[in-house]
């Protein structure tokens, strides 16, 4: 187990280094951020002066060397747009805004998906199954921004401010964006659980458990669901990773000050330090979540060996 | 004894009435009771990236920065210059301007505003003595030392008088220097320029109290403000990027004012009770820039810009139905303008509109040698097709712009121009025009705005080779432009500016599309909000009903 963890951590360091290195060079292929900092009536001399102040007139290997020395200390430089340390900016947007939205949405989408999927599978072709499948189809088909606007119109406008239309800071602010963000993954997870359960419920060990008189609830959640959970865990892990990387559309509709909007603004603005810091954090999140998912495999399926 | 008691009673009664009457008078506006302790929440589409005005003052940033910082020259609702931190400004001879500063003004931290403050700011603007002050240089949108190289030195001639000297006459110096927001000297030297971003301290009507990046900025009224103060206590700029979200928040009563209302929504909102729609023309001026540079002024492959012939550029202007753009796309919330200067700038002179005249456009193109060679209607000259490779930065200037560009392309096709639209991101457009790699038959759609009031800011566009100068002035227009810069007498200068605008209109360096009209939706609770023609919002004198 310890060897497994050490090996995965070692791999993780390589993955993170590879990703940030690729991003370091790729963003520099997209152009020069200095042009964003000057007026449109700027001459080449003014642009050159801005490049000099940003250190972009140094050679690429020189810039990369400085980056490699500073990055392990969490120093990704100063944001070109907002003149703040890039990592501080990324962390300010990650915590609490992005983390609380992602965690609540992930909880909603998993906690509701499991009973819905199980209900749908155990009542295959029945009314509950039809309703669950139709609901899933609807939720998956609805664009997030549209669902978000509908929720705002209903709960903020029609119901005269029952829930806030925008912003963050309290649990009331969290409800609408979390529901809008959880909708599509909830539907996807419910269908995944249903498909997995339908497969597992045909297996001999389920029939045996039932024949032995094991209570149906135990059969479903302890025996069957545990076996159907592997693909569900994988998708949930990835889904949480994507949510923690920022949900740009939901953040935009609800004016949620999360990481997604920060990065999406940084990319067209060629804000290299913020992009690099953001990608570094994303890489860490995905490496950590993948490791967690692998550990969970072993928990739900003892046949998986962590060696 | 009795009369003494009576007199005391009378005085007490008078005191009570006086003490009571003052707040009552202050809490009533237009006969309506107002809430002096209230908060106004303004929904804005974007956050500012900086508060230090030296870094830059785009339209979004200006809205934030000018609440806290003020400049020598202020602006009224009609866009006219009025005294700000300077009580007056005047030329003293041809090569000197004198600014008389307002007395009794203090920054939010109590630091006094005086001539030394202005000298420090001039040093910062022109990048002089930075080492002496111990402040670092910043990437600034406007490099004053390069744009105004003739400004030679500055001196204080009294505690509240500063003279600025130039090596050549500079009639718009009052505007160039006067519109730059001023920062405190001692505070900046002591805390560094980064403090101007993190904890900005200005002389303005609002003190910044909290800035949550990408979320909101909170302000509190500056109780020591020298001018007419806002009549409510707290102000919050709340970032809501989506227009639908901003309007929903207004309808839900969670914000009091919405910035940047889409034209399509304005009509509907105007019919709703409890909401007012107000608008004002802005300086944002959208155009199609055409490559008319000589071959040695860009990465040309040996070819001059295809649109060097004035008749071709004028023809393209006549081929565009600007009124249709204003009415159909902007629902009347835009202006057609034939002058190269925004209609709200000082020195603007209205010009004869470019009439929508396809026949005349075709005739002008034929006169320039472009004739139909086949049945496809596309014009050719010497075997070359009249093609416009149009770079189109979508999703940058707003929905109206995104709808306008393809519409204009169709209008140009109708007179025989083969238009090839290349949709790119704004950053790529900037890279292209910076490197000078616009194709010889290329052009781009873009908008420009101004932080200044004077027409010079627009007319300077075609002097030096810059990002947006793809049709440099011919010698006679360059000379006329220089004449406007030499003339210090205001009346004579206005005449020269008008003459230059007329000749630039005829010379047609760009295809003029529209000038923006900015729309605000305001809750009926907000009293006396008047939109400016400038880039920011002014809440001085604004009140909130109880």
């Amino acid at each position: 187990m310890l060897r497994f963890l050490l090996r995965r951590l070692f791999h993780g360091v390589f993955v993170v280094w590879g990703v940030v290195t690729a991003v370091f060079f790729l963003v520099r292929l997209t152009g020069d951020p200095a042009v964003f900092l000057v007026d449109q009536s700027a001459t080449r001399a003014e642009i050159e002066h801005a490049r000099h102040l940003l250190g972009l007139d140094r050679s690429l290997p020189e810039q990369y060397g400085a980056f490699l020395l500073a990055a392990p200390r969490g120093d990704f430089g100063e944001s070109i747009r907002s003149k703040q340390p890039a990592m501080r900016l990324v962390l300010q947007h990650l915590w609490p805004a992005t983390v609380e939205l992602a965690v609540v949405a992930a909880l909603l989408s998993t906690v509701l998906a499991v009973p819905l999927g199980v209900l749908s599978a155990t009542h295959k072709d029945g009314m509950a199954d039809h309703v669950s499948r139709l609901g899933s189809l609807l939720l998956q088909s609805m664009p997030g921004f549209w669902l978000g606007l509908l929720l705002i119109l209903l709960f903020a406008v029609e119901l005269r401010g029952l829930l806030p239309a925008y912003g963050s800071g309290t649990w009331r602010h969290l409800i609408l964006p979390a529901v809008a963000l959880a909708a599509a993954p909830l539907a996807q997870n419910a269908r995944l659980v249903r498909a997995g359960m339908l497969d597992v419920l045909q297996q001999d060990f389920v029939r045996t458990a039932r024949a032995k008189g094991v209570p149906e609830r135990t059969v479903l959640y302890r025996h069957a669901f545990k076996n159907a959970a592997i693909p569900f865990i994988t998708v949930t892990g990835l889904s949480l990773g994507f949510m923690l990387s920022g949900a740009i559309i939901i953040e935009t509709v609800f004016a949620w000050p999360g990481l997604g909007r920060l990065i999406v603004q940084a990319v067209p603005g060629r804000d290299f330090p913020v992009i690099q810091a953001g990608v570094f954090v994303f890489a860490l999140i995905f490496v950590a979540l993948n490791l967690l998912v692998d550990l969970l495999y072993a928990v739900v399926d003892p046949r998986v060996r962590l060696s | 004894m009795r009369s003494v008691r009576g007199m005391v009673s009378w005085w007490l009664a008078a005191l009570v009435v006086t003490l009571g009457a003052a707040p009552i008078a202050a809490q009533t506006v237009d006969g309506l009771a107002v809430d002096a302790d209230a908060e106004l929440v303004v929904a804005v589409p974007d956050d500012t990236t900086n508060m230090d005005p030296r870094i830059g003052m785009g339209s979004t940033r200006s809205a934030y920065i000018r609440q806290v910082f003020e400049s020598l020259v202020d602006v009224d609702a009609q866009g006219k210059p009025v005294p700000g931190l300077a009580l007056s400004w005047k030329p003293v001879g041809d090569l000197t301007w004198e600014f008389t500063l307002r007395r009794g003004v203090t920054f939010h931290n109590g630091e006094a505003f005086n001539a030394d403050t202005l000298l420090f700011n001039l040093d910062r603007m022109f990048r002089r003595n930075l080492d002496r002050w111990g402040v670092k240089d910043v990437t600034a949108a406007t490099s004053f030392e390069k744009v105004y190289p003739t400004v030679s030195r500055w001196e204080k001639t009294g505690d509240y008088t500063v003279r600025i000297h130039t090596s050549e006459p500079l009639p718009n110096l009052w505007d160039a220097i006067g519109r730059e927001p001023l920062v405190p000297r001692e505070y900046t030297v002591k805390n560094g320029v980064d403090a101007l971003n993190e904890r900005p301290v200005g002389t303005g009507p609002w003190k910044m109290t909290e800035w949550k990046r990408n979320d909101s900025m909170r302000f509190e009224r500056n109780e020591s403000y020298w001018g007419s103060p806002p009549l409510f206590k707290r102000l919050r700029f709340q970032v809501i990027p989506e227009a639908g979200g901003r309007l929903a928040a207004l309808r839900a009563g969670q914000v009091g004012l919405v910035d940047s209302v889409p034209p399509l929504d304005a009509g509907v909102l105007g019919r709703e009770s409890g909401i007012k729609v107000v608008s004002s023309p802005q300086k944002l001026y959208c155009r199609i820039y055409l490559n008319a540079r000589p071959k040695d002024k860009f990465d040309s492959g040996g070819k001059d810009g295809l649109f060097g012939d004035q008749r071709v550029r004028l023809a393209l202007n006549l081929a565009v139905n600007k009124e249709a753009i204003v009415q159909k796309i902007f629902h009347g919330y835009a202006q057609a303008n034939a002058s190269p200067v925004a209609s709200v700038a000082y020195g603007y002179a209205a010009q004869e509109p470019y009439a929508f005249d396809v026949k005349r456009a075709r005739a002008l193109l034929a006169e320039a040698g472009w004739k139909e060679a086949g049945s496809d209607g596309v014009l050719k000259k010497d075997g070359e097709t009249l093609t416009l490779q149009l770079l189109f930065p979508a999703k940058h200037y707003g929905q109206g712009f995104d709808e306008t560009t393809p519409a204009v392309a169709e209008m140009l096709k109708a007179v025989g121009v083969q238009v090839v639209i290349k949709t790119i991101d704004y950053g790529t457009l900037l890279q292209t025009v910076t490197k000078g790699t616009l194709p010889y038959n290329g052009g781009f759609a873009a908008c420009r705005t101004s932080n200044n009031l004077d027409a010079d800011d627009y007319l300077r566009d075609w002097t030096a080779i810059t990002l947006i100068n793809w049709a440099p002035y011919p010698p006679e227009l360059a000379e006329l432009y220089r004449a406007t810069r030499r003339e210090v007498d205001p009346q004579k200068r206005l005449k020269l500016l008008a003459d230059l605008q007329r000749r630039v209109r005829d010379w047609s360096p760009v295809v003029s599309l529209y000038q923006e009209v900015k729309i605000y939706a305001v809750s009926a609770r907000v009293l006396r909000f008047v939109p400016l023609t400038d880039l920011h919002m002014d809440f001085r004198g604004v009140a909130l009903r109880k």
Side-chain angles (χ1 to χ4, degrees), chain A residues 30-33 35-47 49-51 53-54 78 80-85 88-89 92-93 149 152-153 156-157 160-169 251-258 261-262 265 267-268 270, chain B residues 41 46 49-50 55 61 127 136-143 145-147 194 197-198 212-215 236 238-242 244-245 248-249 251-255 289 397 425-428 430-431 434-436 446-449 460-461 464-468:
Chain A
T30 65
D32 184 351
V35 292
F36 291 92
L37 304 177
V38 295
D39 279 347
Q40 291 181 354
S41 56
T43 59
R44 282 201 179 178
E46 290 170 66
I47 296 166
H49 186 72
R51 296 188 79 240
L53 288 175
L54 295 172
E78 203 176 61
I80 289 167
R81 272 164 55 89
S82 57
K83 313 293 174 200
Q84 276 204 316
R88 190 169 94 195
L89 213 53
Q92 274 173 357
H93 285 76
L149 285 174
I152 290 173
L153 283 176
V157 181
R160 296 305 296 170
L162 183 67
L163 290 171
Y166 66 85
S168 62
E251 287 176 11
T252 302
V253 171
F254 291 97
W256 191 266
R261 257 170 63 211
L262 178 76
Q265 285 168 346
V267 171
R270 290 7 177 215
Chain B
V41 183
D46 205 357
T49 51
N50 58 279
I55 293 171
R61 292 181 281 183
R127 293 190 164 112
K136 70 176 182 185
D137 194 4
V138 295
T139 49
T142 307
S143 296
E145 75 282 10
K146 294 195 171 71
V147 180
D194 290 337
N197 273 328
E198 302 293 326
K212 287 186 186 168
R213 303 259 175 173
N214 267 344
D215 180 48
R236 172 154 50 109
Q238 178 66 49
V239 178
I240 305 182
E242 182 62 35
R251 287 177 172 126
Q254 292 168 1
V255 304
Y289 293 81
Y397 292 111
D425 83 299
Y426 182 66
T428 307
L430 286 182
Q431 309 294 339
T434 306
K435 289 180 184 163
C447 305
R448 61 101 75 223
T449 187
R460 190 161 35 90
D461 281 0
I465 290 292
T466 61
L467 306 188
I468 54 171

Side-chain angles (χ1 to χ4, degrees), chain A residues 44, chain B residues 293-300 436 465 469-470 472:
Chain A
R44 282 201 179 178
Chain B
R293 279 191 193 176
K295 59 187 167 206
D296 59 328
K297 298 290 183 195
F298 72 111
D299 188 359
S300 62
I465 290 292
N469 183 3
W470 287 83

Side-chain angles (χ1 to χ4, degrees), chain B residues 201-514:
Chain B
V201 165
T203 59
W206 294 101
K207 298 177 182 181
M208 191 192 91
T209 55
E210 186 187 40
W211 183 9
K212 287 186 186 168
R213 303 259 175 173
N214 267 344
D215 180 48
S216 61
M217 189 179 282
R218 289 169 196 266
F219 307 88
E220 204 164 279
R221 186 172 53 201
N222 174 11
E223 302 294 351
S224 325
Y225 185 57
W226 57 267
S228 161
L231 302 176
F232 56 99
K233 193 167 184 180
R234 286 167 295 126
L235 173 68
R236 172 154 50 109
F237 280 2
Q238 178 66 49
V239 178
I240 305 182
E242 182 62 35
R246 291 197 295 280
L247 296 177
L250 178 70
R251 287 177 172 126
Q254 292 168 1
V255 304
L257 196 151
V258 171
D259 181 15
S260 302
V261 175
L264 190 60
D265 292 300
V268 180
L269 280 171
R271 291 192 290 274
E272 289 185 24
S273 64
I275 294 176
K276 288 180 288 183
V277 173
V278 290
S279 62
S280 175
Q282 292 284 298
K283 294 178 190 164
L284 193 78
Y285 198 164
C286 300
R287 305 153 160 172
I288 289 178
Y289 293 81
L290 301 164
N291 190 347
R293 279 191 193 176
K295 59 187 167 206
D296 59 328
K297 298 290 183 195
F298 72 111
D299 188 359
S300 62
K303 286 184 171 180
D304 287 329
L306 191 65
F307 302 96
D309 189 325
Q310 172 267 346
R311 291 168 297 187
V312 175
R313 297 193 304 268
L314 182 58
L316 300 197
N317 263 299
L318 300 177
V320 174
N321 188 345
K322 294 165 179 93
E323 205 45 43
I325 292 171
V326 168
Q327 295 306 327
K328 301 288 179 192
I329 296 177
F330 290 92
H331 304 272
Y333 288 105
Q335 290 182 344
N337 182 0
S339 165
V341 174
S343 63
V344 292
Y346 173 81
Y348 161 77
Q351 301 300 317
E352 180 194 344
Y354 294 110
F356 175 52
D357 190 340
V358 173
K359 206 170 154 188
R360 186 154 169 252
R362 281 180 172 275
L364 276 169
L365 289 170
E367 206 180 295
W370 294 99
K371 297 194 173 129
E372 268 185 53
S375 56
D376 57 0
V378 175
L379 303 179
K380 289 190 174 170
K381 182 167 95 172
D382 303 331
E384 169 137 41
T385 305
L386 182 57
T387 302
L388 169 61
Q389 291 196 51
L390 183 60
L391 306 188
F392 166 39
K395 308 276 178 212
H396 183 74
Y397 292 111
Q399 194 181 340
F401 177 85
D402 290 354
E403 289 175 22
T404 299
T405 308
V408 169
E410 291 306 312
M411 293 174 193
L412 296 181
K413 283 178 189 170
V415 294
V417 183
Q418 190 176 59
V419 184
V420 181
I421 292 188
K422 290 189 173 173
T423 305
I424 54 174
D425 83 299
Y426 182 66
T428 307
L429 172 65
L430 286 182
Q431 309 294 339
T432 307
V433 293
T434 306
K435 289 180 184 163
T437 52
L438 189 69
Y440 80 100
N441 58 358
F444 56 94
C447 305
R448 61 101 75 223
T449 187
S450 175
N451 274 305
N452 294 98
L453 304 179
D454 194 276
D456 179 82
D457 198 43
Y458 288 89
L459 292 166
R460 190 161 35 90
D461 281 0
W462 299 285
T463 53
I465 290 292
T466 61
L467 306 188
I468 54 171
N469 183 3
W470 287 83
Y473 280 143
E476 64 277 16
L477 287 184
E479 180 46 39
L480 184 52
Y481 172 72
R482 280 194 291 273
T484 68
R485 278 208 136 177
R486 281 193 298 265
E487 184 54 70
V488 179
D489 181 276
Q491 293 310 315
K492 286 182 186 165
R493 181 169 176 264
L494 284 175
K495 274 189 187 162
L496 284 173
L497 286 173
D499 188 29
L500 179 57
Q501 286 170 69
R502 181 181 58 76
R503 293 177 62 179
V504 174
R505 180 261 179 217
D506 294 344
W507 182 65
S508 302
V510 291
V511 178
S512 161
L513 299 178
Y514 64 90

Side-chain angles (χ1 to χ4, degrees), chain B residues 53-213:
Chain B
R54 266 317 288 130
I55 293 171
M57 296 275 292
S59 54
T60 299
R61 292 181 281 183
S62 190
Y64 289 78
I65 291 170
R66 288 202 188 275
Q67 307 305 329
V68 176
F69 294 103
E70 293 181 298
S71 45
L72 296 170
V73 179
D74 205 347
V75 61
D76 70 8
Q78 285 73 46
K80 292 198 177 66
V82 293
L85 292 178
L87 285 171
S88 65
W89 49 91
K90 62 179 181 194
V92 182
D94 282 355
L95 301 177
T96 303
W97 277 83
E98 184 174 278
F99 289 87
T100 304
L101 308 184
R102 193 178 288 278
R103 289 165 188 264
V105 176
T106 54
F107 286 91
H108 300 154
N109 63 343
E111 183 179 332
F113 167 77
N114 53 34
D116 291 328
T117 314
L118 180 53
L119 296 186
F120 169 73
N121 276 274
L122 285 164
D123 278 354
R124 247 194 117 206
M125 287 154 74
F126 285 86
R127 293 190 164 112
R128 300 227 189 130
N129 304 318
L130 295 182
D131 290 341
R132 201 188 92 200
W133 291 115
V135 296
K136 70 176 182 185
D137 194 4
V138 295
T139 49
T142 307
S143 296
F144 279 84
E145 75 282 10
K146 294 195 171 71
V147 180
Y148 304 104
T150 57
V151 175
S152 51
R153 65 190 177 88
W154 38 90
E155 60 177 335
K156 75 171 184 181
T157 51
D159 285 347
Y160 293 92
T161 318
V162 169
R163 285 190 172 184
I164 300 174
H165 302 276
T166 57
S167 57
E168 289 173 22
L170 190 52
N172 64 318
L173 185 139
W174 65 270
D175 177 46
I177 305 288
R179 287 298 290 155
E180 185 76 358
L182 303 180
V183 302
R185 184 186 68 161
E186 286 166 28
Y187 178 82
T188 310
V189 170
K190 188 179 167 196
N191 299 290
V193 292
D194 290 337
L196 295 172
N197 273 328
E198 302 293 326
R199 303 177 302 280
V201 165
T203 59
W206 294 101
K207 298 177 182 181
M208 191 192 91
T209 55
E210 186 187 40
W211 183 9
K212 287 186 186 168
R213 303 259 175 173

